[in-house]
Amino acid sequence: GAKAFWDHLTAHHWDGKRVFAYIVDEGGEMLPKKVANLRKLQEALDAGAGKGHINLMWTSHTNPATLAGNPATDLRGVIRWWAPNGKACDPEFLAPRLKLGETVWFYHHGHPAVGVHAVNATGVELRTWGTICWRYKLSGSFWWAMDLTDARDPMNVLVYNREDSRFGNGVLFYSGARLPDIGVPAIDGPVSGLRMKAYRRGLEDYEYCWLLARKGKGAVADALIRKVIPVALADALRQPSESAATSEKAEQAGTAISRSGGREKAPWKTDPNDWYQMREALAAAMESRD
């Protein structure tokens, strides 16, 4: 299958694109047998398409650093495209993978790791995603879905599973063809939600920082981002803070507060004015001749 896919890309001159294989979804507890199966999958992809052409993308709620103590579960040398969830995305462990040229993203979660993605949240929440990427020099974030609403009433029921309390989970776009459901004429294409616009703001923050870095002012960008996001991802769980203590107690109690609504205290700035000021400061630094 990998060979046929890569041959197809090559025939259409698309082989310059970066490609990953999303085969295993949320791997769960990574026992030696599962890691051995991941290794077999990556070996098959390399054998068919050539090494490095199709990398197996790994997403899980397991911190990969916890697997490295056992050679049978160590994912280094197996995974080259990492996307653990926000809480499991360990910058200390993954920074060396970045230096080796591997790809590191993060997957959704909640406080104190990343902003929440439900509809009953402020615009700051999803804006954090792009800025977190710059804060930790990651190259992206991973969404398991972006338009998966209820099949019967997609414009009003913003979950694929009506029992999911995270209203808006996996939904950043709406179907333009279903706008008549709410009394609005249909359009040919998707409808962007406000949370998508907030997410895009964060991507623009990243781009501002990238432009500053190209001008030799990467340190300025880093300092401004750290003011609004001093800590995030698994790094936030290591801090002796109220949010980390709450998260640990919740996990011990077998609950999933951070996944269901992000009720722990956010470690980043929550006042929108701080984010406006950060953007203005980034723009001013770009325009400065210093």
Side-chain angles (χ1 to χ4, degrees), residues 63-95:
N63 187 329
T66 64
L67 304 171
N70 179 356
T73 60
D74 193 344
L75 292 173
R76 291 173 295 184
V78 178
I79 299 301
R80 300 190 289 261
W81 199 301
W82 309 76
N85 79 9
K87 181 180 176 181
C89 189
D90 192 328
E92 289 185 4
F93 176 81
L94 293 167

Side-chain angles (χ1 to χ4, degrees), residues 70-122:
N70 179 356
T73 60
D74 193 344
L75 292 173
R76 291 173 295 184
V78 178
I79 299 301
R80 300 190 289 261
W81 199 301
W82 309 76
N85 79 9
K87 181 180 176 181
C89 189
D90 192 328
E92 289 185 4
F93 176 81
L94 293 167
R97 314 318 303 170
L98 284 167
K99 289 181 179 179
L100 289 172
E102 296 177 1
T103 301
V104 179
W105 292 352
F106 66 84
Y107 190 35
H108 66 75
H109 197 264
H111 298 176
V114 298
V116 298
H117 56 287
V119 295
N120 57 334
T122 71

Side-chain angles (χ1 to χ4, degrees), residues 155 175-187:
M155 304 304 287
S175 170
R178 295 297 295 266
L179 283 172
D181 292 3
I182 55 173
V184 178
I187 65 169

Side-chain angles (χ1 to χ4, degrees), residues 83-164:
N85 79 9
K87 181 180 176 181
C89 189
D90 192 328
E92 289 185 4
F93 176 81
L94 293 167
R97 314 318 303 170
L98 284 167
K99 289 181 179 179
L100 289 172
E102 296 177 1
T103 301
V104 179
W105 292 352
F106 66 84
Y107 190 35
H108 66 75
H109 197 264
H111 298 176
V114 298
V116 298
H117 56 287
V119 295
N120 57 334
T122 71
V124 167
E125 293 295 306
L126 279 184
R127 184 169 178 174
T128 64
W129 286 37
T131 47
I132 286 172
C133 283
W134 185 266
R135 168 69 178 82
Y136 290 100
K137 301 302 181 285
L138 310 185
S139 59
S141 51
F142 173 57
W143 289 86
W144 68 279
M146 301 190 82
D147 63 347
L148 192 55
T149 50
D150 180 77
R152 288 175 292 166
D153 191 5
M155 304 304 287
N156 292 301
V157 182
L158 309 185
V159 283
Y160 74 101
N161 178 358
R162 291 184 176 232
E163 295 180 359
D164 193 340

Side-chain angles (χ1 to χ4, degrees), residues 82-278:
W82 309 76
N85 79 9
K87 181 180 176 181
C89 189
D90 192 328
E92 289 185 4
F93 176 81
L94 293 167
R97 314 318 303 170
L98 284 167
K99 289 181 179 179
L100 289 172
E102 296 177 1
T103 301
V104 179
W105 292 352
F106 66 84
Y107 190 35
H108 66 75
H109 197 264
H111 298 176
V114 298
V116 298
H117 56 287
V119 295
N120 57 334
T122 71
V124 167
E125 293 295 306
L126 279 184
R127 184 169 178 174
T128 64
W129 286 37
T131 47
I132 286 172
C133 283
W134 185 266
R135 168 69 178 82
Y136 290 100
K137 301 302 181 285
L138 310 185
S139 59
S141 51
F142 173 57
W143 289 86
W144 68 279
M146 301 190 82
D147 63 347
L148 192 55
T149 50
D150 180 77
R152 288 175 292 166
D153 191 5
M155 304 304 287
N156 292 301
V157 182
L158 309 185
V159 283
Y160 74 101
N161 178 358
R162 291 184 176 232
E163 295 180 359
D164 193 340
S165 62
R166 296 167 294 172
F167 212 62
N169 179 23
V171 184
L172 292 183
F173 293 99
Y174 305 86
S175 170
R178 295 297 295 266
L179 283 172
D181 292 3
I182 55 173
V184 178
I187 65 169
D188 183 14
V191 179
S192 178
L194 288 173
R195 287 169 302 127
M196 181 62 216
K197 295 176 185 293
Y199 179 68
R200 187 175 62 191
R201 286 277 182 100
L203 301 185
E204 290 171 351
D205 291 337
Y206 186 102
E207 290 172 339
Y208 270 59
C209 292
W210 179 79
L211 289 168
L212 264 179
R214 291 195 68 183
K215 295 184 68 173
K217 298 182 179 181
V220 175
D222 292 346
L224 289 170
I225 291 298
R226 281 177 178 264
K227 284 185 178 180
V228 292
I229 299 190
V231 68
L233 304 177
D235 208 12
L237 302 175
R238 285 189 278 267
Q239 305 300 313
S241 64
E242 175 186 344
S243 59
T246 302
S247 178
E248 183 177 355
K249 289 178 181 178
E251 187 169 324
Q252 290 173 351
T255 61
I257 290 177
S258 59
R259 290 192 66 199
S260 62
R263 291 189 291 272
E264 295 103 331
K265 183 179 179 182
W268 46 80
K269 298 287 187 180
T270 56
D271 185 342
N273 290 313
D274 291 323
W275 291 79
Y276 289 130
Q277 290 168 11
M278 177 267 289

